[in-house]
Amino acid sequence: PYVRQSAATTAAAPAAAACRACCCWFWKRMQKVVAVICVILCMGVLASAVPLFNGKEFFAGDWQLESHKTEFDSPSTFGRLENSQWKIRDANGTHEGTYIDDSDEERTIHIEWDSETSGKFFLDEDLNLLFQFDFSNYTTGYFLSQGEWKDEVRGDAGIYQFVVTAPNSFYLTRTLKDAQGHYYQVVLTSGRKTIEKEPQGFFSKFGTPIMLFVVMMGFQFFKARNQVTQHAAAQQNNTAAPPATGTPTATVPAPEAGAASTKKAKSKKAD
């Protein structure tokens, strides 16, 4: 049995060596692929960890606004819903547009920029300054600007707080005061921008299946590599093991042909 096992081990050795060589070749290639995937994932994590805000891209578009007014004299009474619109477009470094209020009155919008996050918001043709803004990162994904609010046409003055909650939404809170400087009203406005869906790219459609395929291939590779390693170790242990020792068993020689025929002849004579 030891001789037969040694022969089988010798016969399987080239196959095991070829399998190990194939696994080594595949692993060398896979190392580069794994390294590239890790770099891409790290870049994605770093990019998502530092959100950026571009006011020029944010303000441009068609906005649907919903406003509620609450009087300080009756804070439990929530004012009626007022719907309005912003339609703003980029115009050679500035932004121009139209503000349509609840009564369908149209007013001109003009935005001048000091940077991508700061500038001035004007209304009407004579450029009445409504508010100045300078957005900063308040929390992850939220950007805040606050300051003085003044609408000279309507006689509104006070303070505002503008919170960008997403690339297509914001909350605007205005606290207005009268001519004597007493705050009398809070106006809560929520804005939602209409965004057309862009066609999905290749990785948007097939990124997840590709990643799952890569993970499955990596799992199968490591599984096959472990099996080959275990098989090679078992073969080495069998080759290095000495033959089994024990009490030799006496071998009874087979009877010769002549002796067998003589015994048959004697039995016939006896009959």
Side-chain angles (χ1 to χ4, degrees):
Y2 173 69
V3 174
R4 287 197 299 272
Q5 189 174 15
S6 300
T9 302
T10 304
C19 187
R20 285 197 299 271
C22 181
C23 289
C24 292
W25 176 85
F26 185 72
W27 172 241
K28 289 180 180 178
R29 301 309 187 272
M30 283 297 296
Q31 281 180 331
K32 297 180 180 179
V33 175
V34 171
V36 171
I37 293 175
C38 290
V39 170
I40 294 174
L41 292 177
C42 290
M43 292 175 64
V45 170
L46 292 175
S48 62
V50 184
L52 300 177
F53 176 75
N54 189 325
K56 296 180 180 180
E57 295 179 358
F58 174 78
F59 277 105
D62 295 337
W63 292 87
Q64 302 296 326
L65 310 181
E66 296 180 353
S67 300
H68 290 275
K69 296 180 179 180
T70 302
E71 304 294 333
F72 279 16
D73 296 338
S74 55
S76 60
T77 304
F78 205 56
R80 72 179 183 88
L81 177 65
E82 296 182 2
N83 295 309
S84 55
Q85 300 178 41
W86 283 352
K87 295 183 178 181
I88 303 175
R89 299 292 182 268
D90 187 1
N92 297 325
T94 62
H95 280 61
E96 305 287 348
T98 305
Y99 168 59
I100 306 173
D101 63 11
D102 192 56
S103 60
D104 292 334
E105 179 186 354
E106 294 188 6
R107 302 177 67 181
T108 303
I109 295 175
H110 180 81
I111 303 177
E112 294 182 357
W113 297 94
D114 300 326
S115 67
E116 291 185 349
T117 59
S118 62
K120 301 176 181 67
F121 196 105
F122 297 92
L123 281 180
D124 304 321
E125 295 293 340
D126 52 355
L127 300 181
N128 293 317
L129 178 61
L130 189 63
F131 65 95
Q132 297 186 38
F133 57 87
D134 187 3
F135 289 95
S136 59
N137 189 9
Y138 182 65
T139 59
T140 303
Y142 287 75
F143 297 87
L144 171 67
S145 178
Q146 53 191 355
E148 183 180 0
W149 179 278
K150 189 174 183 180
D151 188 349
E152 294 181 353
V153 174
R154 295 188 175 181
D156 293 337
I159 57 177
Y160 81 92
Q161 188 177 75
F162 198 123
V163 180
V164 175
T165 57
N168 62 333
S169 65
F170 69 84
Y171 286 104
L172 173 62
T173 303
R174 291 170 285 167
T175 306
L176 305 179
K177 59 184 178 181
D178 55 22
Q180 289 74 31
H182 301 117
Y183 291 100
Y184 71 96
Q185 189 180 69
V186 175
V187 183
L188 305 176
T189 302
S190 62
R192 183 181 67 256
K193 180 165 63 172
T194 303
I195 298 180
E196 297 180 359
K197 291 185 177 180
E198 297 181 356
Q200 292 184 340
F202 177 80
F203 287 101
S204 299
K205 291 182 178 179
F206 307 106
T208 301
I210 291 174
M211 290 297 297
L212 292 175
F213 175 76
V214 171
V215 171
M216 291 177 61
M217 288 296 296
F219 174 77
Q220 294 296 331
F221 166 74
F222 285 110
K223 182 179 178 181
R225 185 185 181 193
N226 290 334
Q227 289 178 351
V228 170
T229 304
Q230 293 175 0
H231 182 67
Q235 287 182 347
Q236 291 178 358
N237 293 335
N238 293 334
T239 304
T245 58
T247 305
T249 304
T251 304
V252 180
E256 297 180 358
S261 59
T262 304
K263 190 181 270 190
K264 288 182 181 179
K266 288 182 179 181
S267 62
K268 287 183 180 180
K269 289 180 179 181
D271 294 340

